[in-house]
């Protein structure tokens, strides 16, 4: 009887109909029987004993969630089942067994997460993430569930939701516990939103009996993507995986096709490819087919920038680019890269002389420079455009400079993953896009210079700035001042992450935070920032760019992160319904 607790006399309970006893258990007398359930509504914690019980259905009076009082099962998918307790009568007294059957919490939360994804239920997703994290389930396992769902439940293929989820998974080391939960929840919620109302993705399958080599598959794949044949391309990708082609070769095949045309879909196509390959590194081998196959539909309607007027007039950029590609065609990656003047190349990329810039890139590559390092300089130039973005520009132009930066970052990361020579073309694409964005720096905002403050700056103070609209320059100046006073960039990136995750952020804001933080880290690698003025300048650029971009898109209604906070508070038993409006 150790776990049994008295609920009172049977007679008094029959008269009261509903009562709360020790342990927060609601006891009900209904249709001649006694029932005991957890008195906290599993939806948002409202006391169930204040609800109504009719025909065996217990209804919560806050959001009208309905439960079978006998089994605890819910009729509403957005509410969890309520735990039930065993009861017995002895000598006119009712006893309730406080011990409930212990189920596998980890498996339960995983199942609930899948239901939340299938039904696109934000609170269910959030509560599942909180439960899984507190059950010590590794974040990678949670991410895999989202990747598997997103690549198999969206016929249109890889989308913004999976990109956000992968970006947030990359950002987890930058965040504290609350930030990590918000990052996972928001990434998974975006995946669910992308898949809502979409037909599932059914793989076509590999070519049966294929006995050719990798080069043949690569040729076929490029031919299919050239004519926008996504189904043919999918079968070739699946054949490549089935035949055991190494991931690096598959990446080479797909990235070559992704750069056969210029800056496709404003850089999104290559950016999505990069994120998909990052996701493949996180996921199981069994998910690679669905991940890689999710990329082939992107070619169907992708815009090819060489067909756009802006790439052909008033300056014809297409012809000199094609000539440059012929010069560097199949140029091997240098085994021992030759250093080059990085500052000089940065200035050329940011100039208004595109033909000179194209020639400079070509000579730099021909002289044996590292394509990875050149791509890093282009990414820095793209971030500089955001730092110098004038707030008198049209608001939507923020997305233009963002596209260039995230594309340049994707090129940089992709070149670090594979040494496919054809991918060097994407460095040119990104550099030309930096040139085309020059008008967004006319007039140019003055780059903020760090100044000494009377009081020490605390990273969390940045959030107060973003409580007011259009504090773009103020946010950039604050970031510069902070870097002037403090070296605690870990705290700063955690705060920038919270600045992102406390808003109803759009797709591009997630991209901005992840790309800036990653580029910051890459400038820190191998002791590069130690005594290197360009590296220090680059790191400052990434932080100021992120601060300005996030400030431009804040504040919002903040409804999405509020759901994540509710899930956290419910998990720890807080009574949301008792709050008073201030």
């Amino acid at each position: 009887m150790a776990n049994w607790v008295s609920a009172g006399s049977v007679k008094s309970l029959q008269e009261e109909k509903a009562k709360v006893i020790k342990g927060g258990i609601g006891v009900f007398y209904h249709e001649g029987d006694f029932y005991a359930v957890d008195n906290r509504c599993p939806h948002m914690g409202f006391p169930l004993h204040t609800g109504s019980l009719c025909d065996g259905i217990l209804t919560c009076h806050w959001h009208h969630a309905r439960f079978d009082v006998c089994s605890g099962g819910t009729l509403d998918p957005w509410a969890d089942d309520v735990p039930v307790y065993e009861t017995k009568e002895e000598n006119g007294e009712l006893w309730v067994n406080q011990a409930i059957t212990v189920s596998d919490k980890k498996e339960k939360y995983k199942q609930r997460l899948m239901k939340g994804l299938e039904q696109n239920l934000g609170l269910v997703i959030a509560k599942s993430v909180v439960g899984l994290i507190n059950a010590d389930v590794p974040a990678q396992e949670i991410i895999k569930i989202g990747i598997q769902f997103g690549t198999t439940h969206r016929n249109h293929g890889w989308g913004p939701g999976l990109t956000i989820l992968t970006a947030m998974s990359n950002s987890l080391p930058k965040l504290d516990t609350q930030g990590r939960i918000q990052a996972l929840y928001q990434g998974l919620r975006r995946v669910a939103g992308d898949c809502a109302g979409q037909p599932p993705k059914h793989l076509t399958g590999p070519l049966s009996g294929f006995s050719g080599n990798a080069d043949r598959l690569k040729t076929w794949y490029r031919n299919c993507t050239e004519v926008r044949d996504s189904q043919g391309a999918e079968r070739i990708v699946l054949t490549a995986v089935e035949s055991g082609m190494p991931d690096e070769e598959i990446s080479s095949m797909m990235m070559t096709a992704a750069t056969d045309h210029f800056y496709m879909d404003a850089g999104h196509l290559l950016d999505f490819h990069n994120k998909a390959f990052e996701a493949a590194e996180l996921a199981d081998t069994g998910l690679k087919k669905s991940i890689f196959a999710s990329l082939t539909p992107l070619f169907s309607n992708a815009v090819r920038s060489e067909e756009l007027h802006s790439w052909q007039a008033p300056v014809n950029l297409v012809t000199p680019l094609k000539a440059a590609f012929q010069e560097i065609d199949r140029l091997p990656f240098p085994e021992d890269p030759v250093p080059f003047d990085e500052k000089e190349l940065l200035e050329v990329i940011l100039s208004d002389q595109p033909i000179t810039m194209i020639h400079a890139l070509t000579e730099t590559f021909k002289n044996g420079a590292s394509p990875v390092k050149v791509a890093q300089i282009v990414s820095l130039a793209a971030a500089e455009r955001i730092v110098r973005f004038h707030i008198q520009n049209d608001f939507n132009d923020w997305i233009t400079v963002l596209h260039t930066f995230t594309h340049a970052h994707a090129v940089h990361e992709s070149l670090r993953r594979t040494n496919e020579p054809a991918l060097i073309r994407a460095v040119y694409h990104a550099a030309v896009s930096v040139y085309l964005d020059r008008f967004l720096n006319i007039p140019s905002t003055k780059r903020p210079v760090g100044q000494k403050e009377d009081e020490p700056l605390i990273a969390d103070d940045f959030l107060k700035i973003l409580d007011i609209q259009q504090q773009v320059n103020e946010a950039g100046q604050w970031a510069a001042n902070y870097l002037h006073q403090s070296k605690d960039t870990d705290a700063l990136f955690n705060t920038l992450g919270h600045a992102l995750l406390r808003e109803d952020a759009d797709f591009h804001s997630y991209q901005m935070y992840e790309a800036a933080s990653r580029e910051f880290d890459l400038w820190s690698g191998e002791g590069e920032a130690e005594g290197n003025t360009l590296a220090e300048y680059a790191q400052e650029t990434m932080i100021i760019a992120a601060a300005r971009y996030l400030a431009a898109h804040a504040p919002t209604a903040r409804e999405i992160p509020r759901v994540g906070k509710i899930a956290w508070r419910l998990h720890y038993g807080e009574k949301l319904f008792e709050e008073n409006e201030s």
Side-chain angles (χ1 to χ4, degrees):
M1 294 287 289
N3 293 320
W4 291 83
V5 61
S6 173
S9 71
V10 170
K11 184 176 181 180
S12 64
L13 288 169
Q14 288 173 336
E15 294 174 354
E16 290 182 69
K17 303 296 184 184
K19 178 182 179 180
V20 182
I21 65 170
K22 181 181 178 181
I25 298 173
V27 179
F28 299 87
Y29 179 69
H30 179 63
E31 296 179 341
D33 287 314
F34 288 101
Y35 304 93
V37 303
D38 188 331
N39 198 48
R40 295 178 73 244
C41 177
H43 177 223
M44 290 186 69
F46 199 72
L48 289 175
H49 78 282
T50 63
S52 56
L53 183 54
C54 181
D55 293 331
I57 296 296
L58 175 61
T59 302
C60 176
H61 279 187
W62 197 1
H63 299 96
H64 304 285
R66 298 161 297 167
F67 308 93
D68 170 14
V69 74
C70 181
S71 68
T74 182
L75 276 65
D76 301 293
W78 39 266
D80 292 297
D81 295 340
V82 64
V84 296
Y85 301 86
E86 182 184 2
T87 64
K88 67 179 180 180
E89 297 180 38
E90 282 188 0
N91 302 321
E93 192 169 2
L94 184 72
W95 294 83
V96 178
N97 186 357
Q98 290 182 301
I100 59 176
T101 303
V102 179
S103 59
D104 185 342
K105 286 188 176 181
K106 295 180 181 180
E107 192 58 35
K108 172 191 171 184
Y109 286 130
K110 287 180 181 179
Q111 291 174 359
R112 285 299 292 163
L113 176 56
M114 279 300 297
K115 290 294 182 184
L117 291 169
E118 290 168 357
Q119 301 290 330
N120 191 22
L121 299 170
L123 184 56
V124 173
I125 294 171
K127 289 195 289 188
S128 301
V129 169
V130 173
L132 288 167
I133 291 295
N134 281 279
D136 295 323
V137 174
Q140 188 172 356
E141 283 190 37
I142 303 172
I143 294 163
K144 287 178 185 177
I145 294 172
I147 293 172
Q148 180 177 22
F149 182 85
T151 55
T152 57
H153 287 74
R154 188 173 191 265
N155 193 49
H156 289 338
W158 189 276
L162 284 167
T163 300
I164 292 171
L165 177 61
T166 307
M168 290 300 93
S169 69
N170 293 340
S171 303
L172 294 180
K174 298 284 186 186
L175 302 168
D176 57 22
T177 300
Q178 288 275 7
R180 289 194 292 271
I181 286 175
Q182 282 284 358
L184 289 170
Y185 149 62
Q186 292 185 30
L188 290 163
R189 177 170 178 156
R190 298 289 183 162
V191 170
D194 271 4
C195 296
Q198 287 280 325
K201 175 70 175 176
H202 298 293
L203 298 181
T204 56
L207 299 170
S208 59
F210 175 76
S211 59
N213 56 31
D215 288 339
R216 177 57 56 88
L217 287 177
K218 291 178 181 179
T219 300
W220 288 354
Y221 186 77
R222 292 178 73 181
N223 290 341
C224 286
T225 56
E226 177 64 28
V227 297
R228 305 180 187 271
D229 176 11
S230 60
Q231 286 190 323
E234 178 185 310
R235 297 208 72 183
I236 294 165
V237 168
L238 296 176
T239 303
V241 177
E242 185 76 14
S243 64
M245 183 186 291
D247 288 355
E248 185 175 346
E249 285 199 52
I250 295 176
S251 174
S252 172
M253 176 181 76
M254 300 186 77
M255 285 298 191
T256 298
T259 55
D260 276 341
H261 292 279
F262 298 3
Y263 196 55
M264 296 178 73
D265 265 353
H268 280 140
L269 188 135
L270 191 140
D271 189 18
F272 284 9
H273 273 67
N274 176 56
K275 281 292 172 281
F277 279 98
E278 290 176 354
E281 293 172 2
L282 292 168
D284 293 326
T285 303
L287 293 180
K288 288 182 179 178
K289 287 184 178 180
S290 62
I291 291 173
F292 297 155
S294 72
L295 294 170
T296 61
L298 304 182
F299 289 92
S300 297
N301 298 301
V303 175
R304 299 168 174 178
S305 289
E306 67 268 29
E307 299 171 352
L308 300 178
H309 180 77
S310 58
W311 285 64
Q312 298 187 36
V315 179
N316 183 344
L317 300 168
V318 176
T319 300
L321 282 173
K322 289 182 176 179
F325 297 159
Q326 287 182 344
E327 283 196 67
I328 64 167
D329 184 41
R330 311 312 296 178
L331 192 69
F333 266 55
E335 294 183 6
D336 188 14
V338 176
F340 61 94
D341 192 327
E342 298 172 13
K343 292 182 180 179
E344 181 180 339
L345 183 61
L346 176 64
E347 292 175 1
V348 172
I349 295 170
L350 288 169
S351 73
D352 60 354
Q353 301 296 322
I355 307 304
T356 300
M357 175 190 68
I358 292 171
H359 289 323
L361 287 172
T362 302
E363 291 304 311
T364 302
F365 286 128
K366 289 169 66 176
N367 289 336
S370 163
V372 175
K373 174 54 69 175
V374 176
Q376 187 177 31
I377 297 300
V378 176
S379 295
L380 173 56
E384 183 70 19
R385 290 287 191 225
I386 299 174
V387 170
R388 300 299 185 95
F389 184 92
H390 202 285
I391 58 175
Q392 296 303 318
N393 289 313
D394 185 88
F395 183 77
N396 289 329
D397 284 332
W398 279 106
I399 297 176
T400 301
V401 289
L402 182 281
H403 282 162
T404 302
F405 174 56
T406 54
H407 174 265
H409 168 65
V411 175
H412 183 198
E413 289 282 35
S414 299
L415 283 166
R416 295 181 71 251
R417 183 185 307 110
T418 178
N419 58 1
E420 169 54 53
L423 190 53
I424 295 175
R425 297 177 298 183
V427 178
Y428 287 84
H429 299 162
V432 168
S433 188
V434 172
Y435 160 74
L436 291 172
D437 291 346
R438 72 197 183 286
F439 69 95
L440 298 175
N441 289 165
I442 303 174
S444 174
T445 290
K446 184 178 180 181
R447 183 185 175 100
V449 177
Q451 300 172 0
K452 186 72 174 178
E453 296 277 354
D454 294 334
E455 298 292 333
L457 293 178
I458 302 172
D460 285 347
D461 289 342
F462 178 74
L463 299 178
K464 298 176 183 177
I465 297 175
L466 271 61
D467 284 333
I468 304 173
Q469 288 185 337
Q470 294 302 314
Q471 299 298 294
V472 175
N473 291 335
E474 291 80 357
Q477 185 62 58
W478 186 94
N481 292 350
Y482 180 90
L483 292 173
H484 184 69
Q485 292 190 22
S486 174
K487 299 298 183 182
D488 189 1
T489 53
D490 289 343
L492 180 56
F493 272 110
N494 181 58
T495 299
L496 290 172
H498 279 275
L500 164 72
L501 295 166
R502 72 172 186 164
E503 304 292 347
D504 296 332
D506 65 3
F507 165 56
H508 301 100
S509 295
Y510 293 100
Q511 286 185 298
M512 181 71 231
Y513 173 77
E514 188 259 350
S517 60
R518 178 61 177 154
E519 288 292 331
F520 178 95
D521 288 343
L522 291 173
W523 279 103
S524 303
E526 302 174 3
E528 193 162 11
E530 191 70 31
N532 184 334
T533 56
L534 181 61
E536 293 173 357
Y537 176 89
Q539 289 185 312
E540 180 183 78
T541 299
M542 298 305 161
I543 289 176
I544 295 174
R548 297 188 84 238
Y549 192 92
L550 292 173
H553 296 80
T556 61
R558 299 174 178 171
E559 178 59 28
I560 293 174
R562 179 174 173 271
V563 173
K565 290 180 181 178
I566 287 173
W568 173 272
R569 296 173 64 189
L570 287 172
H571 187 84
Y572 287 98
E574 292 189 34
K575 298 179 179 180
L576 305 180
F577 58 90
E578 291 184 353
E579 290 184 349
N580 293 319
E581 293 290 339
S582 58

